[in-house]
Amino acid sequence: MKKIITLSAAIFFVAGIGAASTPAHAGASDDAEIKALEARFAKALEAKDVDAIMANYVPGDSLVVFDIIPPRQYTGWDAYKKDWAGVVAGCADTPKMELSDLEIASDKKLAYSHSIQHFVCTDSKGVKLEMTMRATDVYRKVDGKWLIAHEHLSAP
């Protein structure tokens, strides 16, 4: 009997830890909206449309981005817009962005995702630039619309 009680307690404990550590999964609507945001981002990058790229980020000084490209961090929408303007200006051809392994979790007000992003373009000297990045985005719902509030990019 003691073994059954101990085993039952252990199962209950493990089940409780699993339930407590399981992230909130985005609802179908949130998931679709965030996937649409990421698709808009890729389309805007391929169009070299910096304003459309930045439409996916929260406006103002609360935006923080840890980028692969120096400097180590951009604080604020204006600073990150300048970075994107430099990136698209450095591409002589149409840049391409492929996103894979996108995982999303949400609590209806905040969400986060992680993905793998593959970026390719050719610079003005004909040199092909290619990067594979790990991306973690934190989204905030602003006026009913998901926007990126924090982004962290790193290279594998």
Side-chain angles (χ1 to χ4, degrees):
M1 181 69 168
K2 200 172 189 179
K3 285 184 180 181
I4 293 173
I5 292 172
T6 303
L7 182 59
S8 297
I11 291 170
F12 179 75
F13 179 73
V14 170
I17 289 173
S21 65
T22 302
H25 292 287
S29 175
D30 292 330
D31 189 54
E33 289 174 31
I34 291 170
K35 284 180 180 179
L37 177 152
E38 294 294 348
R40 283 191 309 272
F41 171 84
K43 186 176 179 180
L45 176 59
E46 291 179 0
K48 296 184 176 182
D49 186 341
V50 176
D51 290 329
I53 290 170
M54 293 307 298
N56 298 295
Y57 293 89
V58 295
D61 293 334
S62 66
L63 175 65
V64 175
V65 176
F66 297 124
D67 202 352
I68 288 179
I69 301 168
R72 120 195 121 144
Q73 155 180 345
Y74 295 92
T75 302
W77 190 89
D78 292 328
Y80 202 43
K81 182 178 181 181
K82 287 179 190 173
D83 177 54
W84 273 115
V87 169
V88 299
C91 294
D93 62 355
T94 300
K96 298 289 181 197
M97 176 67 79
E98 293 179 17
L99 186 108
S100 63
D101 302 322
L102 179 62
E103 295 287 333
I104 302 166
S106 169
D107 75 354
K108 303 294 180 190
K109 293 180 183 177
L110 288 175
Y112 68 89
S113 73
H114 55 85
S115 63
I116 302 298
Q117 298 180 357
H118 186 76
F119 172 80
V120 179
C121 83
T122 304
D123 72 11
S124 61
K125 296 177 184 175
V127 176
K128 185 177 181 179
L129 306 171
E130 190 167 358
M131 289 192 289
T132 299
M133 301 163 279
R134 296 174 291 218
T136 302
D137 287 321
V138 177
Y139 310 87
R140 188 171 68 219
K141 212 158 211 187
V142 178
D143 296 328
K145 180 179 176 184
W146 287 109
L147 296 172
I148 300 169
H150 177 83
E151 186 165 72
H152 190 136
L153 302 170
S154 64

